[in-house]
Amino acid sequence: MKSAVIVFPGSNCDRDAQVALRQITGQEPAMVWHTESDLPKVDLVVLPGGFSYGDYLRCGAMASHSNVMKAVKDHAEQGGLLLGICNGFQILVESHLLPGAMLTNKKLKFISRNVHLKVENRDTPFSKSITGETIRIPIANHDGCYFADDATLDQLEQNGQVVFRYCDETGAVNDNANVNGSLRNIAGICNDRKNVLGMMPHPERAVDTYHGGTDGAELFKSMVEALA
Amino acid sequence: MTMAAKNLENSSDISPQTIKDSGLTIEEYDLLNAQLGRTPNPLELAITGAMWSEHCSYKSSKKWLKTLPTEAPHVIQGPGENAGVIDIGDGQAAIFKIESHNSPSFIEPFQGAATGVGGILRDVFTMGARPVANLNALRFGEPENKLTRHLLSGAVAGIGSYGNCVGVPTVGGEVNFHKAYNGNCLVNCMTVGIADTDKIFYAKAAGVGNPIVYVGSKTGRDGIGGATMSSEGFEDDADAKRPTVQVGDPFTEKLLIEACLELMAEDAIIAIQDMGAAGLTSSTVEMASKGEVGVEIDLDKIPAREENMQPHEFMLSESQERMLMVLKPGSENKARAIFEKWELDFSIIEMVTDTKNLTLTWRGETVADMPVDVIVDNAPEYDRDWVAPKPQTTIKAEDIPEPSDYADTLVKLMSCPDMASKRWIYEQYDSTVMADTFAGPGKAAAAIVRVHGTQKALAMTTDCTPRYCYADPFQGGAQAVAETYRNISATGAKPLAITNNLNFGNPERPEIMGQFVGCVGGMRNACEELEYPVISGNVSLYNETSGKGILPAPVIGGVGVMQDITKAMTLNFKAAEDTIVLIGETAGWMGSSLYLREIEGQEKGAPPPVDLATEKRHADFIRLSIEEELLTAAHDVSDGGLLCAVADMALAGNIGADLQIESNIPLHTFLFGEDQARFVVTTQNTDALLEAAAQAGVPATVIGKTNASGTLTVGTDLATDLAALRTAHEGWLPNYMEN
């Protein structure tokens, strides 16, 4: 699988994504600066976490207008895989590549901890090779509370676009497990075509044993296997 | 007469109030006149005032700091540069420093703490290192104090907002509460970075005619007078000093890190220095002083955020995210392209000269011209009067009454403000960005961060026990060093060096100076005995409000290295039926203990003595046991004694323990005494561990086994569910902050 990681001013998980992709795909991902107009020919584009443009104005808002985003949209329109992690998810929402919006976490604070995610749909290129009912990976964000109107949420559910939900360690989806107050415990959604995924938790921080867990690797392996 | 000369003739603009505003005493002002051979103009006076401030000149502390050991074969750079540098093998270096931002954080906690993080990050990446971890040490007033919630929530949010945005994980720290900090909170921030040993950058200007370059943010009117403000106490006037606090922009800092590291990969930089306290003033004169050269700066070339900025505003602004560099001639365009790519200001603001003077021009005139020596090297140095505090009496174990309910006592200790879980705080810090964190907050005795792309890891911690330092500064100073040594050793890493942040009250009071002298003496002793030198640090004096000083807090930041991260040791119990072993001797030392304070309501008594040879022997043994894979968990014993250490390990692993204590001292003093040089470990190989301990001459006592029942018991004297203990331990801080 050939991949590219977009680097915005203020991205800070670009290297983490690069390392995870290198480790799992065995190929060096292309690092693409935000001013570029063209992408190299790749199977997967990653919008990494961080604070693009300082997250001033609104998280992801300015990045969604940066030069490279036209090429990113074209890539997705042509069916290429597009993964937005954390700030990347915020950029996808701001770019209208995914529906809804991100609000400040319910307790109005940054949250950094491991969370359990229930895998709701395995029929996507991002989740098909995940073995367990749940995965455990870190979150680290201030504005990760997913919001959309009821009609949109219903449609997401009907289309199988809800890929990950916050759950407890037994897999139960409930208010206690909903770390940031996201509607319907949503942690990650994809588009109707299932080639664009946005998620707040960080799979790239859980790919090696020294991370204390390797559940994140299964996401990347899913994509490799989906393309094989 | 030229205009230039007019600015530099004997000035009639200096009034007693101008002198007072500069922060200088009348005696210091006279000294400046004598050195200059003329009176300074107001700009020169303001520059000298900032550089001769306690904050910049270390004038009260220098005499004692010089006594600290700073050398070892692995030390590449000791104190005196932006940060210290140690060799961690394989052509790599760890670069680290701790720095205080106490006064700004008390005045405006969010920005004060945020810019504390920003400043210490710059000190580290200035030297060529990529910052890989942040730590901190925070001290606030008693919970009942009306300011405590505000200061704590603001400082924590500020630290988080800055560190999270620049993308450097905050992996460890400590938080204390005490009424002595009601009027002065302490915010000490530490950054650790990693560089290649052949790519380390220093602040020594060189090469007459070489361009001096300003990069980063524009200069505004924020933070003017910060260094001078930080060198005074408060008189219930903290609010009025708000304009002296800087405003941080972590986004720009992130760009600055990437731009500087990109330029550092080229062969372009001769010298580089961040603009911290006293901004452009300190960065220019320090670079010149280290290089024994002069500098000429054209203030019209400084990128300005506001119009009509005056020379003293340019020179004393503490606007953040700015750097000064001397470039190799011919590399200006290459450098400019990099900074423009990162959308940062880049301006050649003049050049290195051979005059050994700081020369400032503004609107075509020379507005200041004075020898760098006068501003830097000839700053006054004081040998302040000091008196040693009266020694506290040693409290006998038998004199402390036994608690009526052991379980209740343990719950009280584990949920008291100093011991309660700090999860509410550390979950606001991104501890896993950069994807190299092996053990963040609460996971191991020290934080463990992998050296990127290798099997090696750094272990790091910040520690200090102010109540010990107050009761006996010498023992307290030694204990702070020893505790970091112990914590790092309990992860399996070899402790290599420390950075220190010496937070004290007003040095003009002999009893405060006595605390300082005592703590430095204890530190010196510990650093020498443990072969664990000081490579960087910071002194924060005048932490007092209306004449009331803080509990002395010489915070130590320690760093160690381990060769194989797969052997890194964490503190949580791993499985039921492991044997729990106490390493070290227990005499039941109750003086100045947490038990005495929290249960008996007394803050008194000589603190536990620190025997450095024993510390070293026991720590060496722990490291060896980890290396030989004899242990399944390891934790140091400190605040709250043995039982609190065991409770920490049980809660972290969610695995209970049954202890059987056989001792001829009273049980409660065995469980809660704070004797030093001790560890609790678990093993599945008891015989081998005990035999190795016997051979090493290290006391090792089996004190029980872990269990699968989720309870913590001590013989028939104590039984508590972990769940109840957890509720109390985890509950205090969120309840306090959110109710």
Side-chain angles (χ1 to χ4, degrees):
Chain A
M1 181 174 75
K2 286 199 164 64
S3 59
V5 178
I6 309 295
V7 185
F8 300 98
S11 293
N12 64 26
C13 305
D14 44 327
R15 190 190 76 177
D16 306 352
Q18 180 186 25
V19 171
L21 287 165
R22 184 190 297 144
Q23 180 182 324
I24 290 158
T25 67
Q27 298 188 54
E28 191 61 36
M31 305 303 282
V32 180
W33 187 235
H34 68 115
T35 54
E36 296 292 323
S37 303
D38 299 308
L39 291 175
K41 204 171 154 35
V42 294
D43 305 300
L44 166 71
V45 173
V46 175
L47 303 178
F51 291 69
S52 55
Y53 299 91
D55 275 350
Y56 298 134
L57 185 59
R58 248 188 352 264
C59 301
M62 285 195 265
S64 72
H65 293 285
S66 77
N67 201 51
V68 76
M69 284 307 291
K70 180 163 182 326
V72 170
K73 284 178 186 170
D74 289 346
H75 168 82
E77 263 166 37
Q78 287 156 21
L81 296 183
L82 175 57
L83 169 64
I85 302 167
C86 198
N87 194 224
F89 187 10
Q90 293 163 338
I91 296 167
L92 288 176
V93 169
E94 288 287 342
S95 308
H96 304 293
L97 285 162
L98 291 174
M102 290 297 169
L103 307 183
T104 298
N105 296 339
K106 66 180 169 189
K107 285 198 171 174
L108 309 181
K109 288 186 178 60
F110 194 95
I111 307 173
S112 163
R113 68 166 77 146
N114 274 310
V115 291
H116 296 271
L117 302 179
K118 182 158 195 218
V119 186
E120 293 284 5
N121 184 353
R122 276 157 218 279
D123 194 15
T124 81
F126 306 99
S127 56
K128 64 181 302 234
S129 308
I130 296 176
T131 48
E133 287 293 305
T134 64
I135 58 173
R136 181 173 166 272
I137 61 179
I139 52 163
N141 64 65
H142 188 272
D143 299 86
C145 173
Y146 183 74
F147 180 88
D149 60 35
D150 280 338
T152 306
L153 291 169
D154 290 343
Q155 203 179 9
L156 287 174
E157 310 249 17
Q158 280 159 20
N159 295 345
Q161 289 175 248
V162 177
V163 183
F164 300 112
R165 275 191 236 266
Y166 300 108
C167 66
D168 66 18
E169 49 195 280
T170 69
V173 175
N174 54 37
D175 280 352
N176 280 341
N178 193 3
V179 283
N180 50 22
S182 290
L183 292 183
R184 304 192 193 181
N185 285 48
I186 286 174
I189 55 169
C190 62
N191 61 347
D192 193 20
R193 196 174 164 184
K194 314 279 190 291
N195 67 323
V196 179
L197 176 78
M199 62 190 298
M200 288 313 291
H202 287 275
E204 80 283 15
R205 298 187 194 176
V207 298
D208 213 322
T209 46
Y210 68 82
H211 290 143
T214 58
D215 287 358
E218 296 193 341
L219 260 99
F220 295 102
K221 284 180 190 153
S222 294
M223 292 178 255
V224 173
E225 284 166 25
L227 289 162
Chain B
M1 180 180 291
T2 66
M3 289 295 281
K6 186 173 132 283
N7 288 318
L8 303 174
E9 68 184 10
N10 278 338
S11 172
S12 54
D13 300 336
I14 305 290
S15 68
Q17 188 58 41
T18 331
I19 297 168
K20 186 163 184 291
D21 290 347
S22 76
L24 296 188
T25 63
I26 294 295
E27 294 75 27
E28 288 170 339
Y29 176 72
D30 290 341
L31 178 66
L32 174 61
N33 278 342
Q35 292 196 10
L36 276 182
R38 61 177 169 88
T39 57
N41 67 30
L43 174 61
E44 292 170 330
L45 177 60
I47 286 172
T48 310
M51 289 308 297
W52 287 13
S53 70
E54 190 67 57
H55 191 82
C56 290
S57 73
Y58 295 83
K59 59 191 168 191
S60 301
S61 57
K62 216 183 239 174
K63 171 186 160 80
W64 300 100
L65 298 178
K66 283 178 192 161
T67 65
L68 290 168
T70 59
E71 290 175 359
H74 57 270
V75 174
I76 294 174
Q77 174 67 51
E81 266 288 342
N82 282 299
V85 185
I86 53 171
D87 194 331
I88 58 167
D90 307 313
Q92 289 182 303
I95 300 185
F96 61 93
K97 190 182 178 189
I98 192 167
E99 200 161 76
S100 64
H101 236 210
N102 301 335
S103 309
S105 300
F106 187 77
I107 298 167
E108 210 302 281
F110 184 97
Q111 288 298 343
T115 54
V117 176
I120 195 63
L121 281 164
R122 280 194 298 286
D123 279 332
V124 167
F125 74 75
T126 301
M127 298 202 66
R130 178 171 286 282
V132 298
N134 284 329
L135 298 94
N136 53 65
L138 311 179
R139 295 191 156 76
F140 301 101
E142 62 197 330
E144 296 75 22
N145 185 263
K146 65 178 173 21
L147 282 176
T148 299
R149 264 189 204 85
H150 154 75
L151 292 172
L152 170 62
S153 66
V156 168
I159 289 168
S161 90
Y162 209 101
N164 299 347
C165 182
V166 296
V168 175
T170 301
V171 297
E174 55 165 4
V175 185
N176 285 178
F177 300 87
H178 193 278
K179 63 178 186 289
Y181 304 107
N182 281 355
N184 300 83
C185 63
L186 301 186
V187 173
N188 297 173
C189 301
M190 173 171 168
T191 295
V192 181
I194 292 175
D196 290 339
T197 49
D198 60 356
K199 281 270 182 213
I200 293 168
F201 292 83
Y202 298 96
K204 184 179 165 186
V208 172
N210 281 346
I212 297 177
V213 170
Y214 169 118
V215 298
S217 286
K218 290 181 170 43
T219 297
R221 288 188 169 102
D222 55 327
I224 291 173
T228 314
M229 174 276 288
S230 293
S231 306
E232 299 165 349
F234 294 135
E235 298 291 344
D236 293 328
D237 58 348
D239 256 355
K241 292 180 170 176
R242 196 178 297 261
T244 60
V245 179
Q246 314 86 329
V247 179
D249 177 6
F251 170 58
T252 302
E253 180 105 333
K254 169 68 176 166
L255 304 183
L256 195 56
I257 294 176
E258 299 305 329
C260 286
L261 292 178
E262 198 171 319
L263 182 59
M264 284 164 169
E266 310 276 341
D267 185 28
I269 299 174
I270 290 172
I272 179 165
Q273 162 87 39
D274 83 305
M275 295 190 215
L280 198 52
T281 293
S282 66
S283 54
T284 49
V285 298
E286 280 172 13
M287 272 181 133
S289 169
K290 289 189 177 113
E292 297 180 12
V293 292
V295 289
E296 186 178 328
I297 304 295
D298 180 352
L299 296 174
D300 296 312
K301 292 181 180 162
I302 305 293
R305 197 191 298 152
E306 299 168 58
E307 287 183 1
N308 293 320
M309 284 190 55
Q310 301 297 301
H312 79 277
E313 293 173 326
F314 278 118
M315 292 308 290
L316 296 176
S317 160
E318 293 186 9
S319 289
Q320 299 289 288
E321 295 93 25
R322 302 179 299 161
M323 297 283 233
L324 200 66
M325 301 186 290
V326 178
L327 291 182
K328 291 190 176 162
S331 52
E332 296 93 328
N333 289 341
K334 184 163 56 181
R336 185 188 296 277
I338 289 173
F339 283 88
E340 284 179 354
K341 170 189 159 191
W342 290 97
E343 298 177 25
L344 294 165
D345 271 292
F346 177 99
S347 178
I348 298 169
I349 60 171
E350 271 316 317
M351 61 178 179
V352 179
T353 68
D354 61 2
T355 63
K356 298 195 181 181
N357 273 16
L358 171 69
T359 310
L360 304 176
T361 61
W362 182 61
R363 298 183 178 170
E365 293 180 21
T366 300
V367 290
D369 194 4
M370 57 198 305
V372 169
D373 274 357
V374 169
I375 318 172
V376 184
D377 304 309
N378 301 0
E381 200 178 317
Y382 296 121
D383 183 2
R384 304 261 190 215
D385 291 341
W386 59 278
V387 289
K390 209 170 98 215
Q392 302 248 359
T393 50
T394 299
I395 290 173
K396 293 198 191 97
E398 307 82 72
D399 292 344
I400 306 300
E402 188 174 20
S404 54
D405 183 336
Y406 273 94
D408 182 53
T409 301
L410 177 62
V411 166
K412 270 191 188 139
L413 283 176
M414 289 298 287
S415 62
C416 79
D418 281 357
M419 290 292 282
S421 167
K422 302 302 182 296
R423 184 182 304 275
W424 187 92
I425 292 171
Y426 66 70
E427 285 196 344
Q428 295 187 53
Y429 304 148
D430 190 339
S431 55
T432 54
V433 64
M434 297 186 89
D436 283 316
T437 303
F438 176 83
K443 297 276 175 32
I448 305 170
V449 176
R450 188 178 76 130
V451 177
H452 190 70
T454 73
Q455 281 288 99
K456 290 191 298 188
L458 299 179
M460 52 194 89
T461 178
T462 53
D463 293 292
C464 180
T465 314
R467 62 180 189 276
Y468 294 171
C469 296
Y470 180 77
D472 183 337
F474 188 89
Q475 292 294 345
Q479 193 275 341
V481 176
E483 189 173 339
T484 66
Y485 192 85
R486 220 181 293 150
N487 278 325
I488 290 168
S489 296
T491 68
K494 164 96 180 128
L496 290 179
I498 64 168
T499 179
N500 58 12
N501 203 143
L502 309 178
N503 307 277
F504 290 82
N506 180 351
E508 294 163 43
R509 299 181 200 278
E511 65 280 12
I512 300 291
M513 205 56 211
Q515 294 173 346
F516 186 86
V517 171
C519 284
V520 171
M523 246 183 259
R524 176 183 66 233
N525 214 18
C527 291
E528 275 169 4
E529 293 283 322
L530 300 172
E531 298 168 77
Y532 189 39
V534 182
I535 63 159
S536 60
N538 170 251
V539 179
S540 172
L541 302 175
Y542 297 95
N543 290 290
E544 68 166 25
T545 297
S546 304
K548 273 192 73 134
I550 58 165
L551 281 187
V555 174
I556 305 298
V559 174
V561 69
M562 67 180 79
Q563 296 306 317
D564 183 358
I565 197 169
T566 64
K567 290 186 177 175
M569 188 51 57
T570 50
L571 65 80
N572 54 305
F573 286 151
K574 302 296 185 302
E577 298 301 315
D578 280 3
T579 305
I580 306 170
V581 179
L582 172 64
I583 304 295
E585 303 254 29
T586 303
W589 194 281
M590 300 302 277
S592 281
S593 65
L594 197 73
Y595 179 95
L596 197 57
R597 190 180 81 190
E598 296 296 326
I599 305 300
E600 293 294 322
Q602 296 174 26
E603 296 185 50
K604 64 173 193 186
V610 180
D611 184 309
L612 294 156
T614 308
E615 289 283 358
K616 189 161 195 307
R617 190 167 61 250
H618 294 187
D620 285 348
F621 174 71
I622 290 291
R623 280 200 306 281
L624 186 68
S625 308
I626 293 170
E627 174 63 31
E628 294 185 349
E629 303 185 67
L630 290 174
L631 307 185
T632 50
H635 196 6
D636 81 307
V637 178
S638 56
D639 284 340
L642 168 67
L643 194 58
C644 287
V646 170
D648 267 349
M649 299 170 85
L651 289 172
N654 203 21
I655 288 171
D658 299 309
L659 304 186
Q660 298 290 340
I661 306 296
E662 285 167 27
S663 163
N664 44 22
I665 62 170
L667 178 64
H668 63 296
T669 67
F670 195 97
L671 294 176
F672 302 115
E674 296 183 4
D675 308 84
Q676 298 292 297
R678 294 186 302 161
F679 298 85
V680 181
V681 300
T682 54
T683 181
Q684 295 172 346
N685 205 343
T686 314
D687 292 345
L689 181 67
L690 295 182
E691 182 170 338
Q695 275 184 11
V698 171
T701 315
V702 173
I703 56 168
K705 273 192 173 308
T706 55
N707 67 39
S709 64
T711 56
L712 178 56
T713 67
V714 181
T716 55
D717 295 285
L718 181 153
T720 180
D721 281 343
L722 284 188
L725 192 57
R726 186 184 307 283
T727 302
H729 180 62
E730 292 289 346
W732 181 79
L733 188 54
N735 285 340
Y736 171 66
M737 293 306 293
E738 292 169 11
N739 293 323

